[in-house]
Amino acid sequence: MKKILHPIMALPLLLAVLLLGACGSEGGSDSSADGSAPTAESGLTAVQLEHGLGPIAPFDLGPIDAALAERGADIFKMKCTSCHKMEGRYVGPPLGDITETRSPAYVMNMILNPQEMITAHPTAKKVFAEYLTPMPNQSLSEDDARAVLEYLRTQ
């Protein structure tokens, strides 16, 4: 006599098969090649580790735009100089070489999304642990943050 599995009994088996299929990709397709797989330590992807957390995706910079840098200098003086200098320790870290050590997207994401960066990004957390002062959100627009980045490129 043929034994038929009742549909209610088959549901847990189906869920178990689906969960096993969703777990681990060792030996399977590797999404780490495109930077979309989370790293084991932080849970962030390689792209997030390099470019930060926030609204800005990785992008390439063109030649320096002098007018944009000048607008960025004005914004920097108004919003950033109370905590940052180009050289030496102040309230926040010096920014004179920030565009050499961080990607453009990372710098802009730190400007636009400082709270998430200092709580979830290992590099930002390390800097926060050293300076002990969280970077406040200056409520800059993406255009303003881009202008500040352009100014920082000229330093």
Side-chain angles (χ1 to χ4, degrees):
M1 179 177 245
K2 200 172 185 181
K3 197 171 187 178
I4 298 176
L5 194 58
H6 190 275
I8 296 290
M9 302 284 286
L11 186 58
L13 180 60
L14 178 63
L15 287 174
V17 169
L18 290 174
L19 285 173
L20 287 174
C23 292
S25 62
E26 290 180 29
S29 66
D30 185 6
S31 61
S32 65
D34 66 359
S36 64
T39 63
E41 293 177 23
S42 67
L44 301 180
T45 67
V47 171
Q48 290 170 323
L49 288 172
E50 184 176 350
H51 303 289
L53 302 167
I56 306 300
F59 67 98
D60 293 324
L61 294 168
I64 291 179
D65 180 332
L68 185 61
E70 186 175 322
R71 190 167 81 80
D74 291 340
I75 296 166
F76 187 85
K77 288 175 189 163
M78 185 172 46
K79 298 279 191 173
C80 308
T81 55
S82 61
C83 294
H84 294 284
K85 303 287 184 203
M86 290 303 148
E87 303 295 328
R89 185 183 177 103
Y90 201 47
V91 175
L95 298 179
D97 66 347
I98 194 69
T99 58
E100 296 169 17
T101 59
R102 304 282 185 263
S103 76
Y106 183 98
V107 172
M108 288 183 64
N109 282 323
M110 190 67 209
I111 293 169
L112 296 169
N113 190 27
Q115 284 79 17
E116 186 178 9
M117 289 285 287
I118 63 172
T119 57
H121 195 282
T123 302
K125 287 168 67 173
K126 183 177 175 186
V127 172
F128 175 58
E130 181 180 346
Y131 286 87
L132 301 174
T133 303
M135 181 170 159
N137 189 330
Q138 298 294 324
S139 300
L140 296 181
S141 68
E142 288 185 18
D143 289 342
D144 289 345
R146 178 64 183 89
V148 170
L149 172 64
E150 198 69 2
Y151 168 66
L152 292 172
R153 291 178 68 199
T154 65
Q155 300 305 300

